[in-house]
Amino acid sequence: MTTPPANSVVWTEIPVRDIDRGIAFYSSVFKFTMKRDDTGPNPMADLSSPDGGVSGHLYPGTPARPGEGPTIHLAVPDTLEDTSARVEKNGGSVVSGPIPLPVGRFCYALDPDGNSIGLFEATKAA
């Protein structure tokens, strides 16, 4: 008997047209430490997950048309406003204002390849 995973999402992959540009964008926006890995059949770069939670990677591929693919929500390293500014500065675009949730708030953005990403800021514990 196998044990089901703790989370229904276990891994995510984000296709980018230029792996090095994708690494630069996600590293700068989310303050990830990303390195290109050429040891497999295709180059890739892991998204950081220091807490051991769900993670993923970038890989060379063809993204869906801008805003039409799935949306990957990523935790921001500081504030929604600071991360949104880095998205714009690094060639992406923010496509919604902040949306409040009981556990925090988020907004929608597009990376330079048009991949839909959610920028999530958790409510700080009191």
Side-chain angles (χ1 to χ4, degrees):
M1 173 184 226
T2 60
T3 303
N7 299 298
S8 58
V9 176
V10 296
W11 192 257
T12 186
E13 297 178 321
I14 300 174
V16 293
R17 288 184 181 84
D18 178 322
I19 189 80
D20 294 320
R21 182 180 74 172
I23 291 169
F25 176 82
Y26 284 91
S27 293
S28 179
V29 170
F30 294 99
K31 299 183 179 181
F32 288 152
T33 301
M34 297 182 76
K35 294 180 183 168
R36 182 178 170 136
D37 179 350
D38 291 310
T39 60
N42 296 307
M44 60 172 268
D46 282 335
L47 299 169
S48 298
S49 184
D51 63 358
V54 175
S55 191
H57 66 255
L58 305 178
Y59 71 97
T62 304
R65 291 190 301 208
E68 291 189 6
T71 300
I72 308 295
H73 291 262
L74 300 168
V76 302
D78 42 30
T79 68
L80 200 54
E81 290 76 16
D82 289 346
T83 303
S84 294
R86 286 192 302 276
V87 166
E88 298 281 347
K89 179 181 177 186
N90 287 280
S93 59
V94 176
V95 296
S96 79
I99 300 165
L101 299 169
V103 296
R105 60 195 186 122
F106 76 99
C107 67
Y108 290 106
L110 299 175
D111 74 6
D113 287 306
N115 290 303
S116 178
I117 54 176
L119 312 177
F120 174 73
E121 179 184 356
T123 301
K124 305 290 186 244

